[in-house]
Amino acid sequence: MSNIKISALGGLGENGKNMFLVDVDDHLFILDAGLKYPEVDLYGIDAVIPDITYLLENRNRIEGIFITHGHEDHIGALPYILENINIRIYGTHFTICLIENLLTEHGLNIENYKLYRINENKTLKFGDIIVSFYNTTHSIPESVGIAITTEDGTIVYSPDFSYNTTVGAKYKTSFDKITEIGKKGVLAVLPESLGAGDHDRVSSDRVFEHTFNNLLTSAKGRIVVAAFSTDLNRIQRIIDLSIGFGKKIAVIGRKAQHIIDIAFKTDYLKIPQSHLVNLKFIEEKNGSDVYDDLSEDKNLVVITAGIRHEPYVSLLRMLNKQDRLVQLTQNDSVVMISNPVPGTEKFAMQVLDTLYRNDIDVTLFDKKILRSSHANAEDLKLYYAMTKPKYIVPIIGEARHLYEHAKIAQSAGFDKDHIFILHNGEVLEFKNGVASKSPTKIPVGDILVDGSLTGLIDETVIKERENLAEEGAVIITANINSEKRKIIGTPVVTSKGFVSKQPIEEWLDLVREIFQRTFQSHANRPRFDLETLKKAVQEDVRQLAYRQMKKNPIIIVLLIETKDK
């Protein structure tokens, strides 16, 4: 019998940062390695990735990282991991293309890493363990599920999927392979949970397509579509529908949006050359704008794609005449199929309000009328029926998603004792084919990324940034001659983000007086040093700010050792 353990470094009780571990007889398999985007209170943080302490401690047992698809919540942590552990990466052709681009963006030479392309016909053997793959339907092409077959049964990992039979070949689910896996005996499945609570979502894009077709017919001018670059399946559908009406297509920011660029280069997005338009920059001559003739063509559909807030930023630039390719007019129609992701809602609504105030015709597709690319209750029940698992471990999603998923599994006839909701770091252990939670936990946590994966941030820095945002800062700069114990020149006092009840200049003069008084007190002591003076000034100014305004600004004191001329 095999010794099997299932755990997660991320992806349980949260949206993103997906990284799951399957440990079989000392063979450690890593399933996906993603990031999540920060909440608004993580000031200056660009991404959050899993703590990989456990991987570093067990690096000699790792067989590789097996990637299901190319979204950042499944591949975004790879540059950081590979900088610390050079291990094998497995993914489909399109996924590896995206990973190569990601590593290059972070200054890593892809020639130094072991990137292996797989497909659903590929099987990999690690001792007595077999890893195989099957195609799944998601918003990005060549998405796969992963099956790890042991002597006790198969562990099936199924993140981010749905069952839509109307998609193209690169998006189709391999129902026959899933059924075949189920016939051989499945010990446990790890299916996604993000769509588990979508009880009223539509089962097809018919409403979306009907509405978009009507817009193609009735639009007075250009149509500008804002979409997420990760939603390639729907972008291709927009292209196909537009071409059906004889429209020309322009894609904004193809070089900037790497997923779109790679998709075109590898033929995963297709536009016939007869319909593809390459817009030229708007030029300014004699005080007025000169437009490319094609950019004003009423028969033009412009697709602006990006991640997170980028589609909204692009629309705002077009409206404010800052974009050099397209500038919106009241004859244009804007279509928004990029529903705000967590952390961008406020900005997205501000952009929407600005469009309406400028009399721009806006069609906003609510997510309830767009077919989801995540499994809903019916998809999950069909998945259970095909795989016939002994145990179900809901993964990917916040706590509410995991619990909704567990309820669906119970309604499908699974006993509550065979459904395990885990937290990051908890270990589900299988002994003689029987599952139970282990009392042992693995170390987990967040690594905060600021700008690049080499600039890692801890909680102290975040608290300082939060304090700076809420309380402001006071900066005191002075030239000091320690030998003569005197101030050279006049101390400079400035503030950033600090609000005073009295005129700010008066308050800063008061701070300057406190500095000089504190300096004089220390100058009269037998022992004089700048570090002690600095701490005393910080404390005196802090007390002043709290006493007068009940504020705790960051106090920065810069004392520069200076000799008299």
Side-chain angles (χ1 to χ4, degrees), residues 192-193 196-197 199 376-378 380-381 384 392-394 399-416 418-421:
E192 70 142 320
S193 308
H199 304 297
N376 62 15
E378 297 308 312
L380 291 171
K381 290 176 182 178
Y384 305 149
I392 295 175
V393 183
R400 57 193 171 90
H401 298 121
L402 303 181
Y403 279 89
E404 282 282 350
H405 188 161
K407 287 166 57 180
I408 292 168
Q410 289 183 62
S411 71
F414 287 88
D415 190 271
K416 189 175 181 180
H418 284 230
I419 304 166
F420 286 90
I421 295 178

PDB file of all heavy atoms in Angstrom, residues 192-193 196-197 199 376-378 380-381 384 392-394 399-416 418-421:
ATOM      1  N   GLU A 192     -12.202  22.083  -8.549  1.00  0.00           N
ATOM      2  CA  GLU A 192     -12.304  23.502  -8.183  1.00  0.00           C
ATOM      3  C   GLU A 192     -13.650  23.836  -7.566  1.00  0.00           C
ATOM      4  O   GLU A 192     -14.625  23.100  -7.735  1.00  0.00           O
ATOM      5  CB  GLU A 192     -12.070  24.362  -9.421  1.00  0.00           C
ATOM      6  CG  GLU A 192     -13.188  24.295 -10.449  1.00  0.00           C
ATOM      7  CD  GLU A 192     -13.464  25.644 -11.104  1.00  0.00           C
ATOM      8  OE1 GLU A 192     -13.427  26.653 -10.383  1.00  0.00           O
ATOM      9  OE2 GLU A 192     -13.728  25.659 -12.310  1.00  0.00           O
ATOM     10  N   SER A 193     -13.721  24.999  -6.898  1.00  0.00           N
ATOM     11  CA  SER A 193     -14.935  25.388  -6.182  1.00  0.00           C
ATOM     12  C   SER A 193     -15.446  26.780  -6.539  1.00  0.00           C
ATOM     13  O   SER A 193     -16.501  27.186  -6.043  1.00  0.00           O
ATOM     14  CB  SER A 193     -14.677  25.327  -4.668  1.00  0.00           C
ATOM     15  OG  SER A 193     -14.152  24.084  -4.280  1.00  0.00           O
ATOM     16  N   ALA A 196     -19.028  26.979  -7.619  1.00  0.00           N
ATOM     17  CA  ALA A 196     -19.971  26.122  -6.895  1.00  0.00           C
ATOM     18  C   ALA A 196     -21.236  26.868  -6.476  1.00  0.00           C
ATOM     19  O   ALA A 196     -22.315  26.280  -6.415  1.00  0.00           O
ATOM     20  CB  ALA A 196     -19.292  25.518  -5.673  1.00  0.00           C
ATOM     21  N   GLY A 197     -21.130  28.151  -6.207  1.00  0.00           N
ATOM     22  CA  GLY A 197     -22.296  28.923  -5.765  1.00  0.00           C
ATOM     23  C   GLY A 197     -23.041  29.626  -6.879  1.00  0.00           C
ATOM     24  O   GLY A 197     -23.974  30.399  -6.619  1.00  0.00           O
ATOM     25  N   HIS A 199     -25.659  29.587  -8.875  1.00  0.00           N
ATOM     26  CA  HIS A 199     -26.915  28.881  -9.104  1.00  0.00           C
ATOM     27  C   HIS A 199     -27.725  29.472 -10.253  1.00  0.00           C
ATOM     28  O   HIS A 199     -28.533  28.781 -10.865  1.00  0.00           O
ATOM     29  CB  HIS A 199     -27.764  28.906  -7.827  1.00  0.00           C
ATOM     30  CG  HIS A 199     -27.054  28.336  -6.637  1.00  0.00           C
ATOM     31  ND1 HIS A 199     -26.653  27.015  -6.575  1.00  0.00           N
ATOM     32  CD2 HIS A 199     -26.656  28.905  -5.462  1.00  0.00           C
ATOM     33  CE1 HIS A 199     -26.052  26.793  -5.420  1.00  0.00           C
ATOM     34  NE2 HIS A 199     -26.028  27.926  -4.724  1.00  0.00           N
ATOM     35  N   ASN A 376     -20.000  24.742 -12.341  1.00  0.00           N
ATOM     36  CA  ASN A 376     -21.124  24.971 -11.435  1.00  0.00           C
ATOM     37  C   ASN A 376     -21.579  23.626 -10.864  1.00  0.00           C
ATOM     38  O   ASN A 376     -20.931  22.597 -11.059  1.00  0.00           O
ATOM     39  CB  ASN A 376     -22.252  25.707 -12.142  1.00  0.00           C
ATOM     40  CG  ASN A 376     -22.816  24.911 -13.317  1.00  0.00           C
ATOM     41  OD1 ASN A 376     -22.568  23.707 -13.455  1.00  0.00           O
ATOM     42  ND2 ASN A 376     -23.575  25.577 -14.163  1.00  0.00           N
ATOM     43  N   ALA A 377     -22.706  23.622 -10.162  1.00  0.00           N
ATOM     44  CA  ALA A 377     -23.165  22.411  -9.479  1.00  0.00           C
ATOM     45  C   ALA A 377     -23.373  21.259 -10.447  1.00  0.00           C
ATOM     46  O   ALA A 377     -22.975  20.113 -10.168  1.00  0.00           O
ATOM     47  CB  ALA A 377     -24.449  22.704  -8.711  1.00  0.00           C
ATOM     48  N   GLU A 378     -23.987  21.530 -11.608  1.00  0.00           N
ATOM     49  CA  GLU A 378     -24.247  20.461 -12.562  1.00  0.00           C
ATOM     50  C   GLU A 378     -22.960  19.917 -13.166  1.00  0.00           C
ATOM     51  O   GLU A 378     -22.820  18.708 -13.382  1.00  0.00           O
ATOM     52  CB  GLU A 378     -25.192  20.963 -13.658  1.00  0.00           C
ATOM     53  CG  GLU A 378     -26.563  21.379 -13.155  1.00  0.00           C
ATOM     54  CD  GLU A 378     -27.218  20.287 -12.317  1.00  0.00           C
ATOM     55  OE1 GLU A 378     -27.226  19.120 -12.772  1.00  0.00           O
ATOM     56  OE2 GLU A 378     -27.695  20.594 -11.210  1.00  0.00           O
ATOM     57  N   LEU A 380     -20.044  19.832 -11.664  1.00  0.00           N
ATOM     58  CA  LEU A 380     -19.402  19.042 -10.617  1.00  0.00           C
ATOM     59  C   LEU A 380     -20.055  17.668 -10.466  1.00  0.00           C
ATOM     60  O   LEU A 380     -19.369  16.648 -10.324  1.00  0.00           O
ATOM     61  CB  LEU A 380     -19.433  19.794  -9.290  1.00  0.00           C
ATOM     62  CG  LEU A 380     -18.540  21.037  -9.211  1.00  0.00           C
ATOM     63  CD1 LEU A 380     -18.833  21.821  -7.933  1.00  0.00           C
ATOM     64  CD2 LEU A 380     -17.066  20.660  -9.265  1.00  0.00           C
ATOM     65  N   LYS A 381     -21.382  17.619 -10.524  1.00  0.00           N
ATOM     66  CA  LYS A 381     -22.076  16.332 -10.403  1.00  0.00           C
ATOM     67  C   LYS A 381     -21.742  15.416 -11.575  1.00  0.00           C
ATOM     68  O   LYS A 381     -21.574  14.196 -11.391  1.00  0.00           O
ATOM     69  CB  LYS A 381     -23.589  16.563 -10.310  1.00  0.00           C
ATOM     70  CG  LYS A 381     -24.023  17.191  -8.996  1.00  0.00           C
ATOM     71  CD  LYS A 381     -25.514  17.499  -8.987  1.00  0.00           C
ATOM     72  CE  LYS A 381     -25.917  18.180  -7.685  1.00  0.00           C
ATOM     73  NZ  LYS A 381     -27.371  18.526  -7.687  1.00  0.00           N
ATOM     74  N   TYR A 384     -18.271  14.062 -10.895  1.00  0.00           N
ATOM     75  CA  TYR A 384     -18.301  12.954  -9.936  1.00  0.00           C
ATOM     76  C   TYR A 384     -18.768  11.662 -10.605  1.00  0.00           C
ATOM     77  O   TYR A 384     -18.231  10.583 -10.343  1.00  0.00           O
ATOM     78  CB  TYR A 384     -19.254  13.245  -8.767  1.00  0.00           C
ATOM     79  CG  TYR A 384     -19.031  14.514  -8.009  1.00  0.00           C
ATOM     80  CD1 TYR A 384     -20.102  15.192  -7.430  1.00  0.00           C
ATOM     81  CD2 TYR A 384     -17.756  15.049  -7.836  1.00  0.00           C
ATOM     82  CE1 TYR A 384     -19.926  16.361  -6.714  1.00  0.00           C
ATOM     83  CE2 TYR A 384     -17.567  16.218  -7.122  1.00  0.00           C
ATOM     84  CZ  TYR A 384     -18.666  16.875  -6.571  1.00  0.00           C
ATOM     85  OH  TYR A 384     -18.483  18.029  -5.868  1.00  0.00           O
ATOM     86  N   ILE A 392     -13.651  13.204  -1.857  1.00  0.00           N
ATOM     87  CA  ILE A 392     -13.684  14.497  -2.552  1.00  0.00           C
ATOM     88  C   ILE A 392     -13.009  15.538  -1.671  1.00  0.00           C
ATOM     89  O   ILE A 392     -13.332  15.662  -0.472  1.00  0.00           O
ATOM     90  CB  ILE A 392     -15.127  14.931  -2.859  1.00  0.00           C
ATOM     91  CG1 ILE A 392     -15.782  13.954  -3.854  1.00  0.00           C
ATOM     92  CG2 ILE A 392     -15.159  16.353  -3.426  1.00  0.00           C
ATOM     93  CD1 ILE A 392     -17.242  14.246  -4.117  1.00  0.00           C
ATOM     94  N   VAL A 393     -12.063  16.285  -2.272  1.00  0.00           N
ATOM     95  CA  VAL A 393     -11.370  17.369  -1.570  1.00  0.00           C
ATOM     96  C   VAL A 393     -11.613  18.660  -2.360  1.00  0.00           C
ATOM     97  O   VAL A 393     -10.952  18.915  -3.357  1.00  0.00           O
ATOM     98  CB  VAL A 393      -9.860  17.099  -1.455  1.00  0.00           C
ATOM     99  CG1 VAL A 393      -9.189  18.210  -0.645  1.00  0.00           C
ATOM    100  CG2 VAL A 393      -9.588  15.737  -0.838  1.00  0.00           C
ATOM    101  N   PRO A 394     -12.588  19.501  -1.968  1.00  0.00           N
ATOM    102  CA  PRO A 394     -12.815  20.764  -2.675  1.00  0.00           C
ATOM    103  C   PRO A 394     -11.588  21.661  -2.591  1.00  0.00           C
ATOM    104  O   PRO A 394     -10.996  21.813  -1.516  1.00  0.00           O
ATOM    105  CB  PRO A 394     -14.005  21.382  -1.928  1.00  0.00           C
ATOM    106  CG  PRO A 394     -14.681  20.231  -1.250  1.00  0.00           C
ATOM    107  CD  PRO A 394     -13.557  19.293  -0.880  1.00  0.00           C
ATOM    108  N   ALA A 399     -13.533  30.389   1.577  1.00  0.00           N
ATOM    109  CA  ALA A 399     -14.204  29.411   2.437  1.00  0.00           C
ATOM    110  C   ALA A 399     -15.636  29.136   1.981  1.00  0.00           C
ATOM    111  O   ALA A 399     -16.080  27.991   1.953  1.00  0.00           O
ATOM    112  CB  ALA A 399     -14.189  29.901   3.888  1.00  0.00           C
ATOM    113  N   ARG A 400     -16.344  30.189   1.584  1.00  0.00           N
ATOM    114  CA  ARG A 400     -17.736  30.014   1.164  1.00  0.00           C
ATOM    115  C   ARG A 400     -17.837  29.130  -0.070  1.00  0.00           C
ATOM    116  O   ARG A 400     -18.783  28.348  -0.211  1.00  0.00           O
ATOM    117  CB  ARG A 400     -18.398  31.371   0.909  1.00  0.00           C
ATOM    118  CG  ARG A 400     -17.674  32.222  -0.121  1.00  0.00           C
ATOM    119  CD  ARG A 400     -18.160  33.669  -0.125  1.00  0.00           C
ATOM    120  NE  ARG A 400     -17.334  34.516  -0.946  1.00  0.00           N
ATOM    121  CZ  ARG A 400     -17.543  34.738  -2.231  1.00  0.00           C
ATOM    122  NH1 ARG A 400     -18.584  34.175  -2.837  1.00  0.00           N
ATOM    123  NH2 ARG A 400     -16.748  35.531  -2.923  1.00  0.00           N
ATOM    124  N   HIS A 401     -16.864  29.246  -0.990  1.00  0.00           N
ATOM    125  CA  HIS A 401     -16.870  28.399  -2.184  1.00  0.00           C
ATOM    126  C   HIS A 401     -16.644  26.937  -1.812  1.00  0.00           C
ATOM    127  O   HIS A 401     -17.311  26.038  -2.342  1.00  0.00           O
ATOM    128  CB  HIS A 401     -15.778  28.851  -3.156  1.00  0.00           C
ATOM    129  CG  HIS A 401     -15.949  30.247  -3.656  1.00  0.00           C
ATOM    130  ND1 HIS A 401     -14.993  31.214  -3.469  1.00  0.00           N
ATOM    131  CD2 HIS A 401     -16.960  30.844  -4.333  1.00  0.00           C
ATOM    132  CE1 HIS A 401     -15.395  32.345  -4.006  1.00  0.00           C
ATOM    133  NE2 HIS A 401     -16.584  32.149  -4.536  1.00  0.00           N
ATOM    134  N   LEU A 402     -15.699  26.686  -0.904  1.00  0.00           N
ATOM    135  CA  LEU A 402     -15.395  25.315  -0.508  1.00  0.00           C
ATOM    136  C   LEU A 402     -16.592  24.667   0.178  1.00  0.00           C
ATOM    137  O   LEU A 402     -16.900  23.490  -0.060  1.00  0.00           O
ATOM    138  CB  LEU A 402     -14.175  25.299   0.412  1.00  0.00           C
ATOM    139  CG  LEU A 402     -12.881  25.927  -0.132  1.00  0.00           C
ATOM    140  CD1 LEU A 402     -11.753  25.814   0.893  1.00  0.00           C
ATOM    141  CD2 LEU A 402     -12.455  25.292  -1.445  1.00  0.00           C
ATOM    142  N   TYR A 403     -17.285  25.418   1.026  1.00  0.00           N
ATOM    143  CA  TYR A 403     -18.435  24.861   1.731  1.00  0.00           C
ATOM    144  C   TYR A 403     -19.612  24.637   0.786  1.00  0.00           C
ATOM    145  O   TYR A 403     -20.350  23.654   0.925  1.00  0.00           O
ATOM    146  CB  TYR A 403     -18.829  25.767   2.903  1.00  0.00           C
ATOM    147  CG  TYR A 403     -17.958  25.544   4.113  1.00  0.00           C
ATOM    148  CD1 TYR A 403     -16.769  26.256   4.283  1.00  0.00           C
ATOM    149  CD2 TYR A 403     -18.298  24.601   5.082  1.00  0.00           C
ATOM    150  CE1 TYR A 403     -15.941  26.036   5.380  1.00  0.00           C
ATOM    151  CE2 TYR A 403     -17.474  24.379   6.190  1.00  0.00           C
ATOM    152  CZ  TYR A 403     -16.303  25.097   6.318  1.00  0.00           C
ATOM    153  OH  TYR A 403     -15.491  24.868   7.409  1.00  0.00           O
ATOM    154  N   GLU A 404     -19.802  25.525  -0.180  1.00  0.00           N
ATOM    155  CA  GLU A 404     -20.841  25.306  -1.202  1.00  0.00           C
ATOM    156  C   GLU A 404     -20.539  24.034  -1.980  1.00  0.00           C
ATOM    157  O   GLU A 404     -21.440  23.243  -2.280  1.00  0.00           O
ATOM    158  CB  GLU A 404     -20.900  26.510  -2.155  1.00  0.00           C
ATOM    159  CG  GLU A 404     -21.620  27.722  -1.615  1.00  0.00           C
ATOM    160  CD  GLU A 404     -23.132  27.575  -1.672  1.00  0.00           C
ATOM    161  OE1 GLU A 404     -23.627  26.616  -2.300  1.00  0.00           O
ATOM    162  OE2 GLU A 404     -23.825  28.416  -1.068  1.00  0.00           O
ATOM    163  N   HIS A 405     -19.277  23.838  -2.300  1.00  0.00           N
ATOM    164  CA  HIS A 405     -18.869  22.640  -3.036  1.00  0.00           C
ATOM    165  C   HIS A 405     -19.170  21.389  -2.212  1.00  0.00           C
ATOM    166  O   HIS A 405     -19.689  20.390  -2.741  1.00  0.00           O
ATOM    167  CB  HIS A 405     -17.374  22.735  -3.355  1.00  0.00           C
ATOM    168  CG  HIS A 405     -16.887  21.658  -4.270  1.00  0.00           C
ATOM    169  ND1 HIS A 405     -15.713  21.755  -4.973  1.00  0.00           N
ATOM    170  CD2 HIS A 405     -17.392  20.443  -4.599  1.00  0.00           C
ATOM    171  CE1 HIS A 405     -15.532  20.664  -5.693  1.00  0.00           C
ATOM    172  NE2 HIS A 405     -16.544  19.851  -5.467  1.00  0.00           N
ATOM    173  N   ALA A 406     -18.852  21.425  -0.921  1.00  0.00           N
ATOM    174  CA  ALA A 406     -19.114  20.268  -0.061  1.00  0.00           C
ATOM    175  C   ALA A 406     -20.608  19.939  -0.027  1.00  0.00           C
ATOM    176  O   ALA A 406     -20.998  18.757  -0.031  1.00  0.00           O
ATOM    177  CB  ALA A 406     -18.595  20.544   1.351  1.00  0.00           C
ATOM    178  N   LYS A 407     -21.463  20.951  -0.010  1.00  0.00           N
ATOM    179  CA  LYS A 407     -22.913  20.725  -0.007  1.00  0.00           C
ATOM    180  C   LYS A 407     -23.367  20.060  -1.308  1.00  0.00           C
ATOM    181  O   LYS A 407     -24.233  19.188  -1.303  1.00  0.00           O
ATOM    182  CB  LYS A 407     -23.641  22.060   0.189  1.00  0.00           C
ATOM    183  CG  LYS A 407     -23.546  22.602   1.611  1.00  0.00           C
ATOM    184  CD  LYS A 407     -23.960  24.061   1.704  1.00  0.00           C
ATOM    185  CE  LYS A 407     -25.346  24.324   1.190  1.00  0.00           C
ATOM    186  NZ  LYS A 407     -25.712  25.756   1.309  1.00  0.00           N
ATOM    187  N   ILE A 408     -22.744  20.479  -2.427  1.00  0.00           N
ATOM    188  CA  ILE A 408     -23.076  19.873  -3.720  1.00  0.00           C
ATOM    189  C   ILE A 408     -22.685  18.398  -3.729  1.00  0.00           C
ATOM    190  O   ILE A 408     -23.436  17.533  -4.208  1.00  0.00           O
ATOM    191  CB  ILE A 408     -22.376  20.631  -4.864  1.00  0.00           C
ATOM    192  CG1 ILE A 408     -22.966  22.042  -5.005  1.00  0.00           C
ATOM    193  CG2 ILE A 408     -22.493  19.872  -6.184  1.00  0.00           C
ATOM    194  CD1 ILE A 408     -22.156  22.961  -5.898  1.00  0.00           C
ATOM    195  N   ALA A 409     -21.510  18.096  -3.172  1.00  0.00           N
ATOM    196  CA  ALA A 409     -21.056  16.705  -3.124  1.00  0.00           C
ATOM    197  C   ALA A 409     -22.006  15.855  -2.277  1.00  0.00           C
ATOM    198  O   ALA A 409     -22.334  14.710  -2.651  1.00  0.00           O
ATOM    199  CB  ALA A 409     -19.638  16.641  -2.570  1.00  0.00           C
ATOM    200  N   GLN A 410     -22.479  16.412  -1.174  1.00  0.00           N
ATOM    201  CA  GLN A 410     -23.432  15.666  -0.340  1.00  0.00           C
ATOM    202  C   GLN A 410     -24.748  15.445  -1.081  1.00  0.00           C
ATOM    203  O   GLN A 410     -25.332  14.358  -1.010  1.00  0.00           O
ATOM    204  CB  GLN A 410     -23.678  16.418   0.968  1.00  0.00           C
ATOM    205  CG  GLN A 410     -22.501  16.397   1.930  1.00  0.00           C
ATOM    206  CD  GLN A 410     -22.816  17.093   3.242  1.00  0.00           C
ATOM    207  OE1 GLN A 410     -23.707  16.669   3.980  1.00  0.00           O
ATOM    208  NE2 GLN A 410     -22.096  18.164   3.536  1.00  0.00           N
ATOM    209  N   SER A 411     -25.201  16.467  -1.812  1.00  0.00           N
ATOM    210  CA  SER A 411     -26.449  16.316  -2.564  1.00  0.00           C
ATOM    211  C   SER A 411     -26.313  15.300  -3.686  1.00  0.00           C
ATOM    212  O   SER A 411     -27.308  14.746  -4.159  1.00  0.00           O
ATOM    213  CB  SER A 411     -26.884  17.672  -3.142  1.00  0.00           C
ATOM    214  OG  SER A 411     -26.030  18.076  -4.203  1.00  0.00           O
ATOM    215  N   ALA A 412     -25.065  15.034  -4.112  1.00  0.00           N
ATOM    216  CA  ALA A 412     -24.823  14.030  -5.154  1.00  0.00           C
ATOM    217  C   ALA A 412     -24.683  12.636  -4.567  1.00  0.00           C
ATOM    218  O   ALA A 412     -24.409  11.675  -5.305  1.00  0.00           O
ATOM    219  CB  ALA A 412     -23.571  14.396  -5.941  1.00  0.00           C
ATOM    220  N   GLY A 413     -24.862  12.493  -3.245  1.00  0.00           N
ATOM    221  CA  GLY A 413     -24.871  11.176  -2.633  1.00  0.00           C
ATOM    222  C   GLY A 413     -23.607  10.787  -1.902  1.00  0.00           C
ATOM    223  O   GLY A 413     -23.500   9.653  -1.408  1.00  0.00           O
ATOM    224  N   PHE A 414     -22.647  11.693  -1.764  1.00  0.00           N
ATOM    225  CA  PHE A 414     -21.406  11.357  -1.070  1.00  0.00           C
ATOM    226  C   PHE A 414     -21.563  11.585   0.431  1.00  0.00           C
ATOM    227  O   PHE A 414     -22.124  12.598   0.861  1.00  0.00           O
ATOM    228  CB  PHE A 414     -20.245  12.191  -1.614  1.00  0.00           C
ATOM    229  CG  PHE A 414     -19.793  11.763  -2.975  1.00  0.00           C
ATOM    230  CD1 PHE A 414     -20.398  12.290  -4.111  1.00  0.00           C
ATOM    231  CD2 PHE A 414     -18.798  10.808  -3.122  1.00  0.00           C
ATOM    232  CE1 PHE A 414     -20.005  11.884  -5.378  1.00  0.00           C
ATOM    233  CE2 PHE A 414     -18.399  10.396  -4.382  1.00  0.00           C
ATOM    234  CZ  PHE A 414     -19.004  10.935  -5.516  1.00  0.00           C
ATOM    235  N   ASP A 415     -21.042  10.636   1.196  1.00  0.00           N
ATOM    236  CA  ASP A 415     -21.115  10.725   2.642  1.00  0.00           C
ATOM    237  C   ASP A 415     -20.237  11.873   3.138  1.00  0.00           C
ATOM    238  O   ASP A 415     -19.152  12.114   2.603  1.00  0.00           O
ATOM    239  CB  ASP A 415     -20.661   9.399   3.263  1.00  0.00           C
ATOM    240  CG  ASP A 415     -20.942   9.351   4.755  1.00  0.00           C
ATOM    241  OD1 ASP A 415     -20.057   9.794   5.520  1.00  0.00           O
ATOM    242  OD2 ASP A 415     -22.034   8.897   5.129  1.00  0.00           O
ATOM    243  N   LYS A 416     -20.702  12.552   4.174  1.00  0.00           N
ATOM    244  CA  LYS A 416     -19.964  13.696   4.711  1.00  0.00           C
ATOM    245  C   LYS A 416     -18.558  13.305   5.156  1.00  0.00           C
ATOM    246  O   LYS A 416     -17.618  14.102   5.063  1.00  0.00           O
ATOM    247  CB  LYS A 416     -20.742  14.295   5.882  1.00  0.00           C
ATOM    248  CG  LYS A 416     -20.194  15.613   6.395  1.00  0.00           C
ATOM    249  CD  LYS A 416     -21.096  16.197   7.481  1.00  0.00           C
ATOM    250  CE  LYS A 416     -20.557  17.532   7.964  1.00  0.00           C
ATOM    251  NZ  LYS A 416     -21.435  18.117   9.030  1.00  0.00           N
ATOM    252  N   HIS A 418     -16.588  11.444   3.718  1.00  0.00           N
ATOM    253  CA  HIS A 418     -15.725  11.247   2.550  1.00  0.00           C
ATOM    254  C   HIS A 418     -15.472  12.557   1.804  1.00  0.00           C
ATOM    255  O   HIS A 418     -14.980  12.541   0.684  1.00  0.00           O
ATOM    256  CB  HIS A 418     -16.336  10.199   1.618  1.00  0.00           C
ATOM    257  CG  HIS A 418     -16.168   8.803   2.117  1.00  0.00           C
ATOM    258  ND1 HIS A 418     -15.676   7.788   1.341  1.00  0.00           N
ATOM    259  CD2 HIS A 418     -16.404   8.256   3.341  1.00  0.00           C
ATOM    260  CE1 HIS A 418     -15.627   6.675   2.045  1.00  0.00           C
ATOM    261  NE2 HIS A 418     -16.069   6.938   3.267  1.00  0.00           N
ATOM    262  N   ILE A 419     -15.849  13.672   2.428  1.00  0.00           N
ATOM    263  CA  ILE A 419     -15.617  15.005   1.862  1.00  0.00           C
ATOM    264  C   ILE A 419     -14.740  15.768   2.857  1.00  0.00           C
ATOM    265  O   ILE A 419     -15.117  15.938   4.022  1.00  0.00           O
ATOM    266  CB  ILE A 419     -16.944  15.755   1.642  1.00  0.00           C
ATOM    267  CG1 ILE A 419     -17.881  14.941   0.751  1.00  0.00           C
ATOM    268  CG2 ILE A 419     -16.680  17.123   1.018  1.00  0.00           C
ATOM    269  CD1 ILE A 419     -19.313  15.441   0.751  1.00  0.00           C
ATOM    270  N   PHE A 420     -13.589  16.226   2.413  1.00  0.00           N
ATOM    271  CA  PHE A 420     -12.650  16.894   3.314  1.00  0.00           C
ATOM    272  C   PHE A 420     -12.402  18.329   2.855  1.00  0.00           C
ATOM    273  O   PHE A 420     -11.907  18.559   1.747  1.00  0.00           O
ATOM    274  CB  PHE A 420     -11.314  16.137   3.357  1.00  0.00           C
ATOM    275  CG  PHE A 420     -11.380  14.853   4.132  1.00  0.00           C
ATOM    276  CD1 PHE A 420     -11.715  13.666   3.498  1.00  0.00           C
ATOM    277  CD2 PHE A 420     -11.137  14.842   5.509  1.00  0.00           C
ATOM    278  CE1 PHE A 420     -11.779  12.481   4.215  1.00  0.00           C
ATOM    279  CE2 PHE A 420     -11.204  13.663   6.226  1.00  0.00           C
ATOM    280  CZ  PHE A 420     -11.527  12.478   5.580  1.00  0.00           C
ATOM    281  N   ILE A 421     -12.773  19.281   3.709  1.00  0.00           N
ATOM    282  CA  ILE A 421     -12.430  20.688   3.478  1.00  0.00           C
ATOM    283  C   ILE A 421     -11.156  20.976   4.267  1.00  0.00           C
ATOM    284  O   ILE A 421     -11.139  20.884   5.493  1.00  0.00           O
ATOM    285  CB  ILE A 421     -13.564  21.622   3.916  1.00  0.00           C
ATOM    286  CG1 ILE A 421     -14.801  21.397   3.044  1.00  0.00           C
ATOM    287  CG2 ILE A 421     -13.117  23.082   3.828  1.00  0.00           C
ATOM    288  CD1 ILE A 421     -15.997  22.236   3.440  1.00  0.00           C
TER     289      ILE A 421
END
